[in-house]
Amino acid sequence: MAEFTAKDVQALRQTTGVGMMDCKNALTEANGDKDKAIEILREKGIAKAAKKAGRIAAEGLVVVTVENSVGVVVEVNSETDFVAKNQDFIDFVNSVAKTILKHAPKDLEALKALKIDGGDLTVEETLQEKVLSIGENIQIRRFVRMDGNLSTYVHGNGTIGVMVKFDTDIADKPEFKTYAKDIAMQIAAANPQYLTSDQVPQDVLNKEKEILKQQAINEGKPDNIAEKIVQGRISKYFKDVCLLDQPFVKDNDLTILKYTQNTAKALGGKINIIDFVRIEKGEGIEKRSSNLADEVASIVK
């Protein structure tokens, strides 16, 4: 029997980007010889997956799943929008979401080590298989798991996923469900960064005040007047970034806080928004820009 350790398997995995089980099998076949194992993996076409890992994956899908008051929002990226519509890719993302739902992994590494829902391989091993079969770099980028009274919204066939958590005693009322859906859609449309103004970090607030003051000075206002202008403009900033301060998209005369209070009063119960998450596909990923004409010109030169 070939002699090698778990560290050898891990080292081969880091070198090739291939799943743990495939690395173990290759080392067994190669009698523990790492170079031979790499050759075996390349011959099988598995090690090609490692080369794809360097390519930009900014497309993909955001999936939202809720079962028994537990919800998950997960983003899985691919290189092209075409792959994001592939049923095999969609099934993989849904399986990842169900795995998170059932096992509550603390982070991505813990998730990848779990056996994927409905399969015999780990999430990482299944991911590598999808990279090979689909032919693109695929990355599980991030996820959030919540439990409680939840409302969700998915925009644009998986472009944006939203989940909101409420503290309420009227969750079963149809009117509350309508209100909760409104809040989820508000978050998708207006992209708040915080729930309340109290949650804005002090360093972020200080920086915003500096910017607003400099704007006033650039407009020709003296320093003491600029300070007063900042106080007025910071409330506008809160309306932009804080959910409860935002004007309700369906009725700009109401803030989300006032809409919440009005709904609770009308339904004879309590409603508090506790938390929310908004994940947008490819957000923050630097996408490769290209010009087709330039590319063609460079080829024919």
Side-chain angles (χ1 to χ4, degrees), residues 59-87:
E59 297 298 334
L61 192 63
V62 178
V63 161
V64 181
T65 302
V66 178
E67 289 183 14
N68 300 320
S69 299
V70 179
V72 169
V73 184
V74 60
E75 176 187 6
V76 180
N77 298 122
S78 61
E79 293 178 51
T80 65
D81 185 53
F82 177 77
V83 164
K85 298 173 183 176
N86 179 307
Q87 192 58 51

Side-chain angles (χ1 to χ4, degrees), residues 61-66 71-74 146 149-166 177-192 249-250 275-281:
L61 192 63
V62 178
V63 161
V64 181
T65 302
V66 178
V72 169
V73 184
V74 60
M146 291 182 184
N149 289 315
L150 305 174
S151 181
T152 64
Y153 173 69
V154 178
H155 179 75
N157 295 320
T159 301
I160 299 172
V162 173
M163 184 162 58
V164 196
K165 181 176 180 177
F166 299 91
K177 295 182 187 301
T178 299
Y179 153 83
K181 183 65 70 174
D182 281 342
I183 298 301
M185 293 178 70
Q186 169 85 23
I187 293 166
N191 193 17
V249 291
K250 289 186 176 181
D275 199 4
F276 70 87
V277 59
R278 178 188 187 275
I279 291 181
E280 184 171 349
K281 177 191 71 178

Side-chain angles (χ1 to χ4, degrees), residues 81-100:
D81 185 53
F82 177 77
V83 164
K85 298 173 183 176
N86 179 307
Q87 192 58 51
D88 194 26
F89 177 81
I90 294 170
D91 291 344
F92 169 69
V93 181
N94 284 324
S95 293
V96 170
K98 289 182 179 179
T99 304
I100 299 167

Side-chain angles (χ1 to χ4, degrees), residues 3 15 38 42 56 59 79 85 95 104 135 191 204 256:
E3 291 186 3
T15 300
I38 292 173
R42 291 188 63 192
I56 296 173
E59 297 298 334
E79 293 178 51
K85 298 173 183 176
S95 293
N191 193 17
V204 173
I256 292 299

Side-chain angles (χ1 to χ4, degrees), residues 293-301:
D294 290 343
E295 288 184 7
V296 172
S298 68
I299 291 171
V300 299
K301 280 182 180 179

Side-chain angles (χ1 to χ4, degrees), residues 203-274:
D203 59 332
V204 173
L205 189 57
N206 290 342
K207 184 64 178 178
E208 187 63 25
K209 287 180 177 179
E210 287 177 14
I211 293 170
L212 293 173
K213 183 177 179 181
Q214 191 58 51
Q215 287 176 354
I217 291 172
N218 291 342
E219 292 166 3
K221 304 295 191 296
D223 195 75
N224 62 324
I225 300 298
E227 290 283 359
K228 294 179 181 178
I229 291 174
V230 167
Q231 298 307 314
R233 290 181 178 177
I234 204 69
S235 62
K236 171 67 167 59
Y237 169 73
F238 288 144
K239 289 180 181 179
D240 288 338
V241 302
C242 301
L243 176 62
L244 293 185
D245 291 325
Q246 286 184 339
F248 180 30
V249 291
K250 289 186 176 181
D251 184 352
N252 287 335
D253 291 333
L254 291 176
T255 63
I256 292 299
L257 176 60
K258 190 62 178 177
Y259 177 43
T260 301
Q261 292 172 337
N262 289 353
T263 302
K265 183 177 180 180
L267 298 181
K270 70 171 182 177
I271 304 174
N272 291 304
I273 303 172
I274 302 300

